[in-house]
Amino acid sequence: EVQLVESGGGLVQPGGSLRLSCVASGFTFSSYAMSWVRQAPGKGLEWVSAINSGDDSITSCADSVKGRFTISRDNAKNTLYLQMNSLKPEDTAVYYCAKYSDVYGSCWYPLDYWGQGTQVTVSS
């Protein structure tokens, strides 16, 4: 059974940092592209970033986070990360870890498994 379990969310002040983690199980993590997707209150899903299998090449999907958010993966730990710096109130959202069905994934490509999400709230 595929499982994706996110952690690391919480309440942070504007300008602060958080690192989200997603522990994967039930599949060969290193063989699949992965993504972070977020959903702000009252809004639709927004692909944040994707990282491929093999070469770990990255696609940044959300212009608003470029230069502030960094996706990475540790295949030895079956874990996906999202380092978020210089957080802004508009980054407030539920952040989901999700899996692509192939070694390659990109913005808006369909995802076949999702975690339960972790809440990030940026507020003073």
Side-chain angles (χ1 to χ4, degrees):
E1 177 190 6
V2 172
Q3 288 195 320
L4 300 169
V5 180
E6 302 100 333
S7 62
L11 174 64
V12 63
Q13 292 188 341
S17 298
L18 283 175
R19 187 175 81 156
L20 306 184
S21 299
C22 170
V23 177
S25 62
F27 66 102
T28 305
F29 178 73
S30 59
S31 296
Y32 294 91
M34 300 292 295
S35 183
W36 286 99
V37 180
R38 68 183 181 181
Q39 186 167 30
K43 297 190 176 180
L45 295 172
E46 179 182 37
W47 269 241
V48 176
S49 190
I51 185 167
N52 292 322
S53 167
D55 64 1
D56 289 355
S57 54
I58 290 170
T59 303
S60 184
C61 302
D63 288 342
S64 62
V65 309
K66 288 180 180 177
R68 299 189 297 121
F69 289 12
T70 303
I71 190 172
S72 62
R73 65 192 299 162
D74 185 335
N75 291 333
K77 296 182 178 180
N78 287 349
T79 302
L80 179 73
Y81 300 102
L82 184 68
Q83 179 66 45
M84 304 187 295
N85 299 327
S86 302
L87 283 160
K88 304 176 180 180
E90 51 264 42
D91 295 319
T92 295
V94 177
Y95 284 74
Y96 297 95
C97 163
K99 171 188 168 293
Y100 291 98
S101 61
D102 203 345
V103 297
Y104 175 80
S106 190
C107 312
W108 309 107
Y109 279 30
L111 297 147
D112 58 2
Y113 288 95
W114 296 69
Q116 82 288 349
T118 186
Q119 176 71 48
V120 172
T121 302
V122 185
S123 175
S124 54

